[in-house]
Coordinates of all heavy atoms in Angstrom, one line a residue:
Chain A
S1 N -53.0 2.5 45.7 CA -52.7 1.6 46.8 C -51.3 2.0 47.3 O -50.6 2.8 46.7 CB -52.7 0.2 46.3 OG -51.5 0.0 45.5
N2 N -51.0 1.4 48.5 CA -49.7 1.7 49.1 C -48.5 1.3 48.2 O -47.6 2.0 48.1 CB -49.7 1.1 50.5 CG -48.7 1.9 51.3 OD1 -48.5 3.1 51.3 ND2 -47.9 1.2 52.1
S3 N -48.6 0.1 47.6 CA -47.6 -0.4 46.9 C -47.4 0.3 45.6 O -46.2 0.6 45.1 CB -47.8 -1.9 46.5 OG -48.9 -2.1 45.7
E4 N -48.5 0.9 45.0 CA -48.3 1.7 43.8 C -47.5 3.0 44.3 O -46.7 3.5 43.5 CB -49.6 2.1 43.2 CG -49.5 2.7 41.9 CD -50.8 3.3 41.3 OE1 -51.9 3.2 42.0 OE2 -50.7 3.8 40.2
A5 N -47.8 3.6 45.5 CA -47.2 4.8 46.0 C -45.7 4.5 46.1 O -44.9 5.3 45.8 CB -47.8 5.3 47.2
D6 N -45.4 3.3 46.7 CA -44.0 2.9 46.8 C -43.3 2.8 45.5 O -42.1 3.2 45.4 CB -43.9 1.5 47.6 CG -44.2 1.7 49.0 OD1 -44.1 2.8 49.6 OD2 -44.6 0.7 49.6
E7 N -44.0 2.2 44.5 CA -43.4 2.1 43.2 C -43.1 3.4 42.5 O -42.1 3.7 42.0 CB -44.2 1.3 42.2 CG -44.2 -0.3 42.4 CD -45.1 -1.0 41.5 OE1 -45.4 -0.5 40.4 OE2 -45.5 -2.1 41.9
M8 N -44.0 4.3 42.6 CA -43.9 5.7 42.1 C -42.7 6.4 42.8 O -42.0 7.1 42.2 CB -45.2 6.5 42.2 CG -46.2 6.0 41.3 SD -47.8 6.8 41.5 CE -47.4 8.5 40.9
A9 N -42.7 6.3 44.1 CA -41.6 6.9 44.9 C -40.2 6.4 44.4 O -39.3 7.2 44.2 CB -41.8 6.8 46.4
A10 N -40.2 5.1 44.3 CA -38.9 4.5 43.8 C -38.5 4.9 42.4 O -37.3 5.2 42.2 CB -39.1 2.9 43.8
A11 N -39.5 5.0 41.5 CA -39.3 5.5 40.2 C -38.8 6.9 40.2 O -37.8 7.3 39.4 CB -40.5 5.3 39.3
L12 N -39.4 7.7 41.0 CA -39.0 9.1 41.1 C -37.6 9.3 41.6 O -36.8 10.0 41.1 CB -40.0 9.9 41.9 CG -39.7 11.4 42.2 CD1 -39.6 12.1 40.9 CD2 -40.9 12.0 43.0
E13 N -37.3 8.5 42.6 CA -36.0 8.6 43.3 C -34.9 8.1 42.2 O -33.8 8.7 42.2 CB -36.0 7.9 44.6 CG -36.6 8.7 45.8 CD -36.9 7.9 47.0 OE1 -36.2 6.9 47.2 OE2 -37.9 8.2 47.6
A14 N -35.2 7.1 41.6 CA -34.3 6.6 40.5 C -34.0 7.7 39.5 O -32.8 7.9 39.1 CB -34.8 5.3 39.9
E15 N -35.0 8.3 39.0 CA -34.8 9.5 38.1 C -34.0 10.5 38.7 O -33.1 11.1 38.0 CB -36.1 10.1 37.7 CG -37.0 9.3 36.8 CD -37.2 9.9 35.4 OE1 -36.7 11.0 35.3 OE2 -37.9 9.3 34.6
L16 N -34.2 10.9 39.9 CA -33.4 12.0 40.5 C -32.0 11.6 40.9 O -31.1 12.5 40.8 CB -34.1 12.4 41.8 CG -35.6 13.1 41.5 CD1 -36.3 13.4 42.8 CD2 -35.4 14.4 40.7
N17 N -31.8 10.4 41.2 CA -30.4 10.0 41.5 C -29.5 10.1 40.4 O -28.3 10.2 40.5 CB -30.4 8.5 42.1 CG -30.9 8.5 43.5 OD1 -30.8 9.5 44.3 ND2 -31.5 7.4 44.0
D18 N -30.0 9.9 39.1 CA -29.1 10.1 38.0 C -28.7 11.6 37.9 O -27.7 11.9 37.3 CB -29.9 9.8 36.7 CG -30.3 8.3 36.7 OD1 -29.5 7.5 37.4 OD2 -31.2 7.9 35.8
F19 N -29.5 12.5 38.4 CA -29.2 13.9 38.3 C -28.5 14.5 39.5 O -27.6 15.3 39.4 CB -30.6 14.6 38.1 CG -30.5 16.1 38.1 CD1 -30.0 16.9 37.1 CD2 -30.9 16.7 39.3 CE1 -29.9 18.2 37.2 CE2 -30.9 18.1 39.4 CZ -30.4 18.9 38.3
M20 N -28.9 14.1 40.7 CA -28.5 14.9 41.9 C -27.2 14.2 42.6 O -27.0 13.1 42.4 CB -29.7 14.9 42.9 CG -30.7 15.9 42.5 SD -32.1 15.8 43.5 CE -32.8 17.4 43.3
Chain B
T1 N -63.9 17.6 32.5 CA -63.5 19.0 32.4 C -63.0 19.4 33.8 O -63.4 19.0 34.8 CB -64.8 20.0 32.1 OG1 -65.8 19.6 33.0 CG2 -65.3 19.7 30.7
P2 N -62.0 20.4 33.7 CA -61.4 20.8 35.0 C -62.4 21.4 35.9 O -63.2 22.1 35.5 CB -60.3 21.8 34.5 CG -60.1 21.6 33.1 CD -61.4 21.0 32.6
S3 N -62.2 21.2 37.2 CA -63.0 22.0 38.2 C -62.1 22.6 39.2 O -60.9 22.4 39.3 CB -64.0 21.0 38.9 OG -63.3 20.3 39.8
S4 N -62.7 23.4 40.1 CA -61.9 24.1 41.1 C -61.2 23.1 42.1 O -60.3 23.5 42.8 CB -62.7 25.1 41.8 OG -63.8 24.5 42.5
S5 N -61.8 21.9 42.2 CA -61.2 20.9 43.1 C -60.0 20.2 42.5 O -59.3 19.4 43.2 CB -62.2 19.9 43.6 OG -62.7 19.2 42.4
D6 N -59.7 20.4 41.2 CA -58.6 19.7 40.6 C -57.3 20.3 41.2 O -57.1 21.4 41.4 CB -58.6 19.9 39.1 CG -59.6 19.0 38.5 OD1 -60.0 18.0 39.0 OD2 -60.0 19.4 37.3
V7 N -56.4 19.4 41.3 CA -55.0 19.7 41.8 C -54.1 19.8 40.5 O -54.1 18.9 39.7 CB -54.4 18.7 42.8 CG1 -53.0 18.9 43.1 CG2 -55.2 18.7 44.0
L8 N -53.3 20.9 40.5 CA -52.3 21.0 39.4 C -51.0 20.7 39.8 O -50.5 21.3 40.8 CB -52.4 22.5 38.8 CG -53.7 22.9 38.1 CD1 -53.6 24.3 37.7 CD2 -54.0 21.9 36.9
L9 N -50.3 19.9 39.1 CA -48.9 19.5 39.4 C -48.0 20.6 38.7 O -47.7 20.4 37.4 CB -48.5 18.1 39.0 CG -47.1 17.7 39.1 CD1 -46.4 18.0 40.4 CD2 -47.0 16.1 38.9
T10 N -47.7 21.6 39.3 CA -46.9 22.7 38.7 C -45.6 23.0 39.6 O -45.5 22.6 40.8 CB -47.6 24.0 38.6 OG1 -48.0 24.4 40.0 CG2 -48.9 23.8 37.8
E11 N -44.7 23.7 38.9 CA -43.4 24.0 39.6 C -43.8 24.9 40.9 O -43.2 24.7 42.0 CB -42.4 24.7 38.7 CG -41.1 25.1 39.3 CD -40.2 25.5 38.3 OE1 -40.2 25.0 37.2 OE2 -39.3 26.3 38.6
D12 N -44.7 25.8 40.6 CA -45.0 26.7 41.7 C -45.6 26.0 43.0 O -45.4 26.3 44.1 CB -46.0 27.7 41.2 CG -45.9 29.1 41.7 OD1 -44.7 29.5 41.8 OD2 -46.8 29.7 42.1
A13 N -46.5 25.0 42.7 CA -47.2 24.2 43.7 C -46.1 23.5 44.5 O -46.1 23.4 45.7 CB -48.2 23.3 43.2
V14 N -45.1 22.8 43.8 CA -44.1 22.0 44.5 C -43.2 23.0 45.3 O -42.9 22.6 46.4 CB -43.2 21.3 43.4 CG1 -42.0 20.6 44.1 CG2 -44.2 20.2 42.7
R15 N -42.9 24.1 44.7 CA -42.1 25.1 45.5 C -42.7 25.5 46.8 O -42.1 25.5 47.8 CB -41.8 26.3 44.6 CG -40.8 27.3 45.3 CD -40.7 28.6 44.5 NE -40.0 28.5 43.3 CZ -40.5 28.7 42.1 NH1 -41.8 29.0 42.0 NH2 -39.8 28.6 41.0
R16 N -44.0 25.8 46.7 CA -44.7 26.2 47.9 C -44.7 25.1 49.0 O -44.5 25.4 50.2 CB -46.2 26.7 47.6 CG -46.3 28.1 47.1 CD -47.6 28.6 46.9 NE -48.1 28.3 45.5 CZ -49.1 27.5 45.2 NH1 -49.7 26.9 46.1 NH2 -49.3 27.4 43.9
Y17 N -44.9 23.8 48.6 CA -44.8 22.8 49.6 C -43.5 22.7 50.2 O -43.4 22.6 51.4 CB -45.2 21.5 48.9 CG -46.7 21.2 48.8 CD1 -47.2 20.8 47.5 CD2 -47.6 21.4 49.8 CE1 -48.5 20.7 47.3 CE2 -48.9 21.2 49.6 CZ -49.5 20.8 48.4 OH -50.7 20.6 48.2
L18 N -42.4 22.8 49.4 CA -41.1 22.5 49.9 C -40.5 23.8 50.7 O -39.6 23.6 51.6 CB -40.1 22.2 48.7 CG -40.4 21.0 48.0 CD1 -39.3 20.7 46.9 CD2 -40.4 19.7 49.0
I19 N -41.1 24.9 50.5 CA -40.7 26.0 51.3 C -41.4 25.9 52.7 O -40.9 26.2 53.8 CB -41.2 27.4 50.7 CG1 -40.2 27.7 49.6 CG2 -41.2 28.5 51.7 CD1 -40.6 28.9 48.7
R20 N -42.6 25.4 52.7 CA -43.3 25.2 54.0 C -42.7 24.2 54.9 O -42.5 24.4 56.1 CB -44.8 24.7 53.7 CG -45.8 25.1 54.8 CD -47.2 24.7 54.3 NE -47.6 25.3 53.1 CZ -48.6 24.8 52.3 NH1 -49.1 23.7 52.6 NH2 -48.9 25.5 51.2
K21 N -42.2 23.0 54.4 CA -41.6 22.0 55.2 C -40.9 20.9 54.3 O -41.3 20.7 53.2 CB -42.6 21.4 56.2 CG -43.6 20.5 55.5 CD -44.4 19.7 56.4 CE -45.3 18.7 55.7 NZ -45.9 17.6 56.4
P22 N -39.9 20.3 55.0 CA -39.2 19.2 54.2 C -40.1 18.1 53.9 O -40.9 17.7 54.7 CB -38.1 18.8 55.2 CG -37.9 19.9 56.1 CD -39.3 20.5 56.2
M23 N -40.0 17.5 52.7 CA -40.9 16.5 52.3 C -40.0 15.4 51.6 O -39.2 15.6 50.8 CB -42.0 17.0 51.3 CG -42.8 18.0 51.9 SD -44.1 18.5 50.8 CE -45.5 17.5 51.4
T24 N -40.6 14.0 51.8 CA -40.0 13.0 51.0 C -40.7 12.9 49.6 O -41.7 13.6 49.4 CB -40.2 11.6 51.8 OG1 -41.6 11.5 51.8 CG2 -39.7 11.7 53.2
T25 N -40.1 12.0 48.8 CA -40.8 11.9 47.5 C -42.2 11.3 47.7 O -43.1 11.7 47.0 CB -40.0 10.9 46.6 OG1 -39.8 9.7 47.4 CG2 -38.7 11.4 46.1
K26 N -42.4 10.5 48.7 CA -43.8 9.9 48.9 C -44.7 11.0 49.4 O -45.9 11.0 49.1 CB -43.7 8.8 50.0 CG -43.4 7.4 49.3 CD -43.5 6.3 50.3 CE -44.9 5.8 50.3 NZ -45.0 4.5 51.0
D27 N -44.1 11.9 50.2 CA -45.0 13.1 50.7 C -45.5 13.9 49.5 O -46.7 14.2 49.5 CB -44.2 14.0 51.6 CG -43.8 13.4 53.0 OD1 -44.5 12.4 53.4 OD2 -42.7 13.8 53.5
L28 N -44.5 14.2 48.6 CA -44.9 15.0 47.4 C -45.9 14.2 46.6 O -46.9 14.8 46.1 CB -43.7 15.3 46.6 CG -42.9 16.4 47.1 CD1 -41.5 16.5 46.4 CD2 -43.6 17.8 47.0
L29 N -45.7 12.9 46.4 CA -46.6 12.2 45.5 C -48.0 12.1 46.2 O -49.0 12.1 45.4 CB -46.0 10.7 45.3 CG -44.8 10.6 44.4 CD1 -44.1 9.3 44.6 CD2 -45.2 10.8 43.0
K30 N -48.1 12.1 47.4 CA -49.4 12.2 48.1 C -50.2 13.5 47.8 O -51.4 13.5 47.7 CB -49.2 12.0 49.7 CG -49.5 10.6 50.1 CD -49.4 10.5 51.6 CE -48.4 9.5 52.1 NZ -48.0 9.7 53.5
K31 N -49.4 14.5 47.7 CA -50.0 15.9 47.4 C -50.5 15.9 46.0 O -51.4 16.7 45.6 CB -49.0 17.0 47.6 CG -48.5 17.1 49.0 CD -49.6 17.6 49.9 CE -49.0 17.9 51.3 NZ -50.1 18.1 52.3
F32 N -50.0 15.1 45.1 CA -50.3 15.1 43.7 C -50.8 13.7 43.2 O -50.4 13.2 42.2 CB -49.1 15.6 42.9 CG -48.7 17.0 43.3 CD1 -47.5 17.1 44.0 CD2 -49.4 18.1 42.9 CE1 -47.0 18.4 44.3 CE2 -48.9 19.4 43.2 CZ -47.7 19.5 44.0
Q33 N -51.8 13.2 44.0 CA -52.3 11.9 43.6 C -53.0 11.9 42.2 O -53.6 12.9 41.9 CB -53.3 11.5 44.7 CG -52.7 11.2 46.0 CD -53.7 10.8 47.1 OE1 -54.6 9.9 46.9 NE2 -53.7 11.5 48.2
T34 N -52.8 10.8 41.5 CA -53.3 10.7 40.2 C -54.8 11.0 40.0 O -55.2 11.6 39.1 CB -52.9 9.4 39.5 OG1 -53.5 8.4 40.4 CG2 -51.5 9.2 39.4
K35 N -55.5 10.5 41.0 CA -57.0 10.7 41.0 C -57.4 12.2 41.1 O -58.5 12.6 40.8 CB -57.7 9.9 42.1 CG -57.3 10.2 43.5 CD -57.9 9.3 44.4 CE -57.5 9.6 45.9 NZ -57.7 8.5 46.8
R36 N -56.4 13.0 41.7 CA -56.7 14.5 41.9 C -56.2 15.3 40.7 O -56.7 16.3 40.4 CB -56.2 14.9 43.2 CG -56.8 14.2 44.4 CD -56.2 14.6 45.7 NE -56.5 15.9 46.1 CZ -55.8 16.6 47.1 NH1 -54.8 16.0 47.6 NH2 -56.2 17.8 47.4
T37 N -55.1 14.8 40.1 CA -54.5 15.6 39.0 C -55.0 15.1 37.6 O -54.9 15.9 36.7 CB -52.9 15.4 39.0 OG1 -52.7 14.1 38.8 CG2 -52.4 15.9 40.3
G38 N -55.5 13.9 37.5 CA -55.9 13.4 36.2 C -54.7 12.9 35.5 O -54.9 12.4 34.3
L39 N -53.5 12.9 36.0 CA -52.3 12.4 35.3 C -52.2 10.9 35.5 O -52.7 10.4 36.5 CB -51.1 13.1 35.7 CG -51.0 14.7 35.6 CD1 -49.7 15.2 36.2 CD2 -51.1 15.0 34.1
S40 N -51.4 10.3 34.7 CA -51.1 8.8 34.9 C -50.0 8.8 35.9 O -49.3 9.8 36.2 CB -50.7 8.2 33.6 OG -49.4 8.7 33.2
S41 N -49.7 7.6 36.5 CA -48.5 7.4 37.4 C -47.3 7.8 36.7 O -46.5 8.5 37.3 CB -48.5 5.9 37.8 OG -49.7 5.6 38.5
E42 N -47.1 7.4 35.4 CA -45.9 7.6 34.7 C -45.7 9.2 34.5 O -44.7 9.6 34.7 CB -45.9 6.9 33.4 CG -44.5 6.8 32.8 CD -44.5 6.1 31.4 OE1 -45.5 5.5 31.1 OE2 -43.5 6.2 30.7
Q43 N -46.8 9.8 34.1 CA -46.7 11.3 33.9 C -46.4 12.0 35.2 O -45.6 12.9 35.2 CB -48.0 11.8 33.3 CG -48.4 11.5 31.9 CD -49.8 11.9 31.5 OE1 -50.8 11.7 32.3 NE2 -49.9 12.5 30.4
T44 N -47.0 11.5 36.3 CA -46.7 12.2 37.6 C -45.3 12.1 37.9 O -44.6 13.1 38.3 CB -47.6 11.5 38.6 OG1 -48.9 11.7 38.3 CG2 -47.3 12.2 40.0
V45 N -44.7 10.8 37.7 CA -43.2 10.7 38.1 C -42.4 11.5 37.2 O -41.5 12.2 37.7 CB -42.9 9.1 38.0 CG1 -41.3 9.0 38.0 CG2 -43.5 8.4 39.1
N46 N -42.7 11.5 35.9 CA -41.8 12.3 35.0 C -41.9 13.8 35.2 O -40.9 14.5 35.2 CB -42.2 12.0 33.5 CG -41.8 10.6 33.1 OD1 -40.9 10.0 33.7 ND2 -42.5 10.0 32.1
V47 N -43.1 14.3 35.4 CA -43.3 15.7 35.6 C -42.7 16.2 36.9 O -41.9 17.2 37.0 CB -44.8 16.2 35.5 CG1 -45.0 17.6 36.0 CG2 -45.4 15.9 34.1
L48 N -42.9 15.4 38.0 CA -42.3 15.7 39.3 C -40.7 15.7 39.2 O -40.1 16.5 39.8 CB -42.9 14.8 40.4 CG -42.9 15.3 41.8 CD1 -43.3 16.6 41.9 CD2 -43.8 14.3 42.6
A49 N -40.2 14.7 38.5 CA -38.7 14.6 38.4 C -38.2 15.9 37.6 O -37.2 16.5 38.1 CB -38.4 13.3 37.6
Q50 N -38.9 16.3 36.6 CA -38.4 17.5 35.9 C -38.5 18.7 36.7 O -37.6 19.6 36.7 CB -39.3 17.8 34.6 CG -39.1 16.7 33.5 CD -37.6 16.4 33.2 OE1 -36.8 17.3 33.0 NE2 -37.3 15.1 33.2
I51 N -39.5 18.8 37.5 CA -39.7 20.0 38.4 C -38.6 20.0 39.5 O -38.0 21.0 39.7 CB -41.1 20.0 39.0 CG1 -42.2 20.3 38.0 CG2 -41.2 21.0 40.2 CD1 -43.6 20.2 38.4
L52 N -38.4 18.8 40.1 CA -37.4 18.8 41.2 C -36.0 19.1 40.6 O -35.2 19.7 41.3 CB -37.5 17.5 41.9 CG -38.7 17.2 42.8 CD1 -38.8 15.8 43.2 CD2 -38.6 18.2 43.9
K53 N -35.7 18.6 39.3 CA -34.4 19.0 38.7 C -34.3 20.4 38.5 O -33.2 21.0 38.8 CB -34.3 18.2 37.4 CG -34.0 16.7 37.6 CD -34.1 16.0 36.2 CE -34.0 14.5 36.4 NZ -34.1 13.8 35.2
R54 N -35.3 21.1 38.2 CA -35.3 22.5 38.0 C -35.1 23.2 39.3 O -34.3 24.3 39.5 CB -36.5 23.1 37.2 CG -36.4 23.0 35.7 CD -37.4 23.9 35.1 NE -38.8 23.7 35.5 CZ -39.6 22.8 34.8 NH1 -39.1 22.2 33.8 NH2 -40.8 22.7 35.2
L55 N -35.9 22.8 40.3 CA -35.9 23.5 41.6 C -34.6 23.2 42.4 O -34.1 24.1 43.1 CB -37.0 23.1 42.5 CG -38.5 23.6 42.0 CD1 -39.5 23.0 42.9 CD2 -38.6 25.1 42.0
N56 N -34.0 22.1 42.1 CA -32.7 21.6 42.7 C -32.7 21.9 44.3 O -31.9 22.7 44.8 CB -31.6 22.4 42.1 CG -30.2 21.7 42.4 OD1 -30.2 20.5 42.9 ND2 -29.1 22.4 42.3
P57 N -33.8 21.4 45.0 CA -33.9 21.6 46.4 C -32.8 21.1 47.2 O -32.0 20.2 46.8 CB -35.3 20.9 46.8 CG -35.3 19.8 45.8 CD -34.7 20.3 44.5
E58 N -32.7 21.6 48.4 CA -31.7 21.1 49.4 C -32.2 19.7 49.8 O -33.4 19.5 49.8 CB -31.6 22.0 50.6 CG -31.2 23.4 50.3 CD -29.7 23.5 49.9 OE1 -28.9 22.7 50.3 OE2 -29.4 24.5 49.0
R59 N -31.3 18.9 50.3 CA -31.7 17.6 50.9 C -31.2 17.4 52.3 O -30.2 17.9 52.7 CB -31.0 16.5 50.1 CG -31.4 16.3 48.7 CD -30.5 15.4 48.0 NE -31.1 15.0 46.7 CZ -30.9 13.8 46.2 NH1 -30.1 13.0 46.7 NH2 -31.4 13.5 45.0
K60 N -32.0 16.8 53.2 CA -31.5 16.4 54.5 C -32.3 15.2 54.9 O -33.4 14.9 54.6 CB -31.7 17.6 55.5 CG -33.1 17.9 55.9 CD -33.0 19.0 57.0 CE -34.2 19.7 57.2 NZ -34.2 20.8 58.2
N61 N -31.5 14.4 55.8 CA -32.2 13.2 56.3 C -32.9 13.5 57.6 O -32.3 14.1 58.5 CB -31.1 12.1 56.5 CG -30.8 11.4 55.3 OD1 -31.6 11.0 54.5 ND2 -29.5 11.3 55.0
I62 N -34.1 13.1 57.7 CA -34.9 13.2 58.9 C -35.4 11.8 59.2 O -36.1 11.2 58.3 CB -36.0 14.2 58.8 CG1 -35.6 15.5 58.4 CG2 -36.9 14.2 60.1 CD1 -36.6 16.6 58.0
N63 N -35.2 11.2 60.4 CA -35.6 9.8 60.7 C -35.1 8.9 59.6 O -35.9 8.0 59.2 CB -37.1 9.8 60.9 CG -37.6 10.6 62.0 OD1 -36.9 10.8 63.0 ND2 -38.8 11.2 61.8
D64 N -33.9 9.1 59.1 CA -33.3 8.1 58.2 C -34.0 8.2 56.8 O -33.7 7.3 56.0 CB -33.3 6.7 58.6 CG -32.2 6.5 59.7 OD1 -31.1 7.2 59.6 OD2 -32.3 5.6 60.5
K65 N -34.8 9.2 56.5 CA -35.4 9.4 55.2 C -35.0 10.7 54.6 O -35.0 11.7 55.3 CB -37.0 9.4 55.4 CG -37.5 8.0 55.6 CD -39.0 8.0 55.7 CE -39.6 6.6 56.0 NZ -40.9 6.6 56.4
M66 N -34.7 10.6 53.3 CA -34.2 11.9 52.6 C -35.4 12.7 52.4 O -36.4 12.3 51.8 CB -33.6 11.4 51.3 CG -32.7 12.5 50.7 SD -33.6 13.4 49.5 CE -33.8 12.1 48.2
H67 N -35.3 13.9 52.8 CA -36.3 15.0 52.6 C -35.7 16.1 51.7 O -34.6 16.5 51.8 CB -36.7 15.6 53.9 CG -37.5 14.7 54.8 ND1 -37.0 13.5 55.3 CD2 -38.8 14.8 55.2 CE1 -38.0 12.9 56.0 NE2 -39.1 13.7 56.0
F68 N -36.5 16.7 50.9 CA -36.3 17.8 50.0 C -36.9 19.1 50.8 O -37.9 19.0 51.4 CB -36.9 17.7 48.7 CG -36.3 16.7 47.8 CD1 -37.2 15.7 47.5 CD2 -35.0 16.7 47.4 CE1 -36.7 14.6 46.6 CE2 -34.6 15.7 46.6 CZ -35.5 14.6 46.2
Y69 N -36.1 20.2 50.6 CA -36.7 21.4 51.1 C -36.1 22.6 50.4 O -35.0 22.5 49.8 CB -36.5 21.6 52.6 CG -35.0 21.8 53.1 CD1 -34.6 23.1 53.4 CD2 -34.2 20.8 53.2 CE1 -33.3 23.3 53.8 CE2 -32.8 21.0 53.7 CZ -32.5 22.3 53.9 OH -31.1 22.4 54.2
L70 N -36.8 23.8 50.4 CA -36.4 25.0 49.9 C -36.4 26.1 50.8 O -37.3 26.1 51.7 CB -37.2 25.4 48.6 CG -37.1 24.5 47.4 CD1 -38.2 24.8 46.5 CD2 -35.7 24.7 46.7
T71 N -35.5 27.1 50.7 CA -35.6 28.3 51.6 C -36.0 29.4 50.7 O -35.7 29.4 49.5 CB -34.3 28.6 52.3 OG1 -33.3 28.6 51.4 CG2 -34.0 27.4 53.3
E72 N -36.7 30.4 51.3 CA -37.2 31.5 50.5 C -36.1 32.5 50.0 O -35.0 32.5 50.7 CB -38.3 32.2 51.2 CG -39.6 31.5 51.1 CD -40.8 32.2 51.8 OE1 -41.0 32.1 52.9 OE2 -41.5 33.0 51.0

């Protein structure tokens, strides 16, 4: 679903923000 | 069992997409949907994060959204 895609994108960005 | 229609979430596949055009995290996630890769949502996020950390792509904002891209 769209909200699941949003959640996954948010989780991915959170992981990357720790690094980049 | 794997078939030729399966999508593989690999560093090479991500690199090829990011060389072709800038993409947001959502764009990338659409390319590697769980129903096509057979991975869970959590696995997808973790694997994609590891790949992006290794590739260390350039970032730029397009329409106020952060996009990743790579040059050859």
Side-chain angles (χ1 to χ4, degrees):
Chain A
S1 72
N2 202 37
S3 65
E4 192 190 2
D6 285 338
E7 275 177 32
M8 288 174 70
L12 179 55
E13 282 164 28
E15 287 243 2
L16 293 173
N17 283 335
D18 292 341
F19 169 78
M20 290 174 151
Chain B
T1 54
S3 75
S4 59
S5 63
D6 284 339
V7 171
L8 293 178
L9 175 43
T10 63
E11 185 170 326
D12 218 46
V14 174
R15 183 189 292 114
R16 274 186 271 116
Y17 281 127
L18 294 183
I19 285 172
R20 203 177 303 158
K21 65 169 189 166
M23 298 181 100
T24 65
T25 51
K26 275 187 87 167
D27 294 333
L28 281 168
L29 288 165
K30 260 185 236 167
K31 297 293 185 188
F32 302 104
Q33 291 176 53
T34 55
K35 65 187 173 195
R36 299 173 71 196
T37 61
L39 300 177
S40 69
S41 298
E42 195 180 347
Q43 285 174 318
T44 301
V45 167
N46 289 338
V47 172
L48 205 42
Q50 293 310 312
I51 288 172
L52 288 169
K53 287 174 188 178
R54 274 202 301 273
L55 290 175
N56 197 17
E58 304 291 331
R59 294 170 164 210
K60 69 175 166 187
N61 280 315
I62 302 171
N63 299 326
D64 282 335
K65 285 184 183 165
M66 198 265 290
H67 288 65
F68 295 114
Y69 68 100
L70 288 168
T71 51
E72 280 184 272

